[in-house]
């Protein structure tokens, strides 16, 4: 009886899997580093059937909120400006509060505890780990995470200030 139930459940899952992208369950990672090269944390991305879960742990942060974004170029050196602007494959404008936003690179601010550590889990449908879609993080020039010195006001693209950590997003 249990074996029959298991087979039925497996068949049901397999039949429903046709609607899910092939990359479901795939992961990507970014190791965040300060301008001096010191590690500042890790970001893990996991592809789901309807979007991506971003899990971040960032340490060494000063008190207060810090802007956190996906930038459109997978490069951090020679300086963090190599990561380019925020990821906006559809041309949307910046900010959760902007009437023509948000774009794919918009993420919530990070809020560190007294120990300088911020943790975040965030689900988004604006990106994918798949390589053949226009909102893929693995387009021809890749993508990177940037942590900023100031909070993002969710409206003005330059509100978050200096780039204090960067990490290139890599498969696996």
């Amino acid at each position: 009886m249990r074996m029959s139930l298991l087979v039925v459940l497996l068949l049901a899952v397999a039949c429903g899997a046709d609607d899910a992208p092939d990359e479901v369950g795939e992961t990507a990672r970014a190791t965040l580093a300060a301008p001096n090269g010191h590690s500042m944390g890790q970001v893990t991305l996991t592809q789901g059937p309807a979007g991506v879960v971003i899990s971040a742990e960032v340490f060494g942060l000063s008190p207060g909120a810090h802007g956190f974004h996906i930038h459109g170029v997978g490069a951090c050196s020679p300086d963090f400006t190599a990561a380019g602007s925020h990821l906006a494959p559809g041309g949307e404008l910046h900010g959760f509060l902007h009437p023509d936003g948000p774009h794919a690179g918009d993420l919530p601010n990070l809020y560190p505890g007294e120990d300088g550590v911020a943790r975040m889990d965030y689900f988004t449908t604006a990106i994918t780990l798949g390589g053949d879609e226009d909102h893929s993080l693995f387009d021809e020039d890749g993508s990177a995470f940037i942590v900023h010195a100031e909070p993002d006001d969710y409206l003005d693209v330059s509100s978050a200030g200096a780039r204090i950590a960067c990490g290139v997003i890599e498969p696996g």
Side-chain angles (χ1 to χ4, degrees), residues 7 20 23 31 39 54 58 61 63-64 72 76 82 96 98-99 102 136 139 143 155 160 165:
V7 170
E23 63 274 354
T31 300
S39 178
I54 300 171
V58 185
L61 296 173
C76 290
F96 292 122
H98 196 289
S136 175
D139 61 4
S143 305
L155 191 59

Side-chain angles (χ1 to χ4, degrees), residues 55-110:
S55 299
E57 181 176 35
V58 185
F59 46 87
L61 296 173
S62 60
H66 294 269
F68 185 51
H69 303 104
I70 301 170
H71 284 243
V73 178
C76 290
S77 59
D79 61 31
F80 295 164
T81 61
S85 300
H86 297 177
L87 181 67
E92 301 85 2
L93 296 179
H94 169 72
F96 292 122
L97 301 177
H98 196 289
D100 295 321
H103 54 56
D106 285 327
L107 299 174
N109 287 322
L110 296 172

